[in-house]
Amino acid sequence: MFKKVLISDDLGSINKGVLTVLKGLEINNVQQVQYCDDAYLKIKKAVLDDAPYDLLITDLSFIKDHREQKYTSGESLIIALKKEYPALHIIVYSVEDRLQKVRFLMNTHHTNGYVCKGRRGLLELEKAIHAVYHNRTYLSPHVQQALNPKSDLEIDDYDIELVHLLSQGLSQEDISNSLKKRNITPSSLSSIEKKLNKLRIQFKANNAIHLVAIVKDLGLI
């Protein structure tokens, strides 16, 4: 089992629950931080001291306060750490359950596990630790569809933004104006119409309202 673990979460109550899980697994060399910058520095120092951490368990959302941070989210921390220390095992423990986010962290940045906080969160976290220790990935059942090859999630941030604006009741003309104000391209009315038609076909949606409902059910917006 893992010998040295770091917990990164700004809520002490969450850390206590994670500590209980680790103690039950007889993992006693555990340290905690409440800032992503501290997590990064501890991991970097541990590597330099030739006593690296085996596992990082991190939240994604951290409340901003007076302290200025280079890494303001668990996501930015993961991206940096996986780039510098690809062998480091990382498990996300978060309330964030959008499939696009899960897929991005798992596929693009090779996060080892993704556990959703909730009633069964700590039980799933224990399963995740076992799986990751045996070089397997783990996803909470709630977000497993994120890595399902049969799940049609091949849409990018631009597509998601279009559907998000559509879900707010904006017309295609309103969406076009919104994109132009933010210098997001393509922003022409014809481009937006073509893209939304393509998305309706892709998701087998009967109309715009149906498209929004499907994309929401998939956790993409």
Side-chain angles (χ1 to χ4, degrees):
M1 186 47 69
F2 294 113
K3 300 298 183 183
K4 188 176 182 181
V5 178
L6 180 64
I7 305 170
S8 180
D9 196 305
D10 57 0
L11 295 179
S13 58
I14 298 296
N15 288 351
K16 288 180 181 179
V18 176
L19 279 170
T20 300
V21 171
L22 295 173
K23 185 177 180 180
L25 295 172
E26 298 184 351
I27 301 174
N28 298 312
N29 190 354
V30 181
Q31 293 184 320
Q32 308 170 59
V33 293
Q34 293 183 305
Y35 293 91
C36 292
D37 281 16
D38 290 347
Y40 177 83
L41 292 173
K42 276 187 172 293
I43 288 169
K44 190 176 185 69
K45 184 177 185 302
V47 171
L48 293 174
D49 292 342
D50 198 26
Y53 287 92
D54 303 306
L55 173 66
L56 167 67
I57 299 172
T58 183
D59 195 357
L60 293 183
S61 300
F62 288 75
I63 299 173
K64 293 182 179 180
D65 60 14
H66 63 281
R67 180 172 165 181
E68 188 173 340
Q69 297 287 301
K70 179 179 180 180
Y71 303 107
T72 57
S73 69
E75 179 178 336
S76 61
L77 174 66
I78 290 168
I79 292 171
L81 289 174
K82 278 295 187 178
K83 185 176 181 180
E84 293 186 48
Y85 312 108
L88 175 66
H89 296 92
I90 299 178
I91 295 175
V92 170
Y93 187 47
S94 173
V95 296
E96 173 65 78
D97 62 359
R98 287 181 297 167
L99 301 189
Q100 192 79 355
K101 179 69 70 179
V102 177
R103 193 170 92 143
F104 172 71
L105 290 172
M106 297 295 290
N107 285 353
T108 305
H109 296 289
H110 311 294
T111 303
N112 304 93
Y114 200 107
V115 179
C116 296
K117 291 179 180 177
R119 291 180 180 178
R120 294 184 54 82
L122 292 176
L123 293 175
E124 292 174 9
L125 181 60
E126 183 175 347
K127 292 179 181 179
I129 293 169
H130 276 291
V132 172
Y133 179 74
H134 289 98
N135 295 314
R136 300 191 305 268
T137 58
Y138 180 91
L139 275 77
S140 286
H142 184 56
V143 294
Q144 281 181 349
Q145 190 179 4
L147 300 187
N148 184 350
K150 294 182 180 179
S151 180
D152 198 350
L153 298 174
E154 293 299 333
I155 65 175
D156 56 26
D157 290 339
Y158 175 81
D159 299 331
I160 292 172
E161 180 63 16
L162 286 187
V163 181
H164 174 67
L165 293 172
L166 197 64
S167 73
Q168 295 180 329
L170 274 64
S171 67
Q172 291 184 14
E173 185 176 355
D174 292 333
I175 292 173
S176 174
N177 292 332
S178 175
L179 297 181
K180 286 176 181 176
K181 287 179 182 178
R182 291 179 288 156
N183 296 316
I184 297 175
T185 57
S187 58
S188 70
L189 197 56
S190 61
S191 297
I192 292 169
E193 184 178 1
K194 289 178 182 177
K195 174 59 76 171
L196 288 175
N197 282 335
K198 182 180 178 181
L199 287 172
R200 280 196 289 268
I201 293 171
Q202 181 176 339
F203 287 95
K204 298 179 175 61
N206 299 325
N207 50 46
I209 295 174
H210 191 202
L211 173 63
V212 169
I214 292 171
V215 174
K216 278 187 175 180
D217 286 344
L218 287 172
L220 300 178
I221 61 172

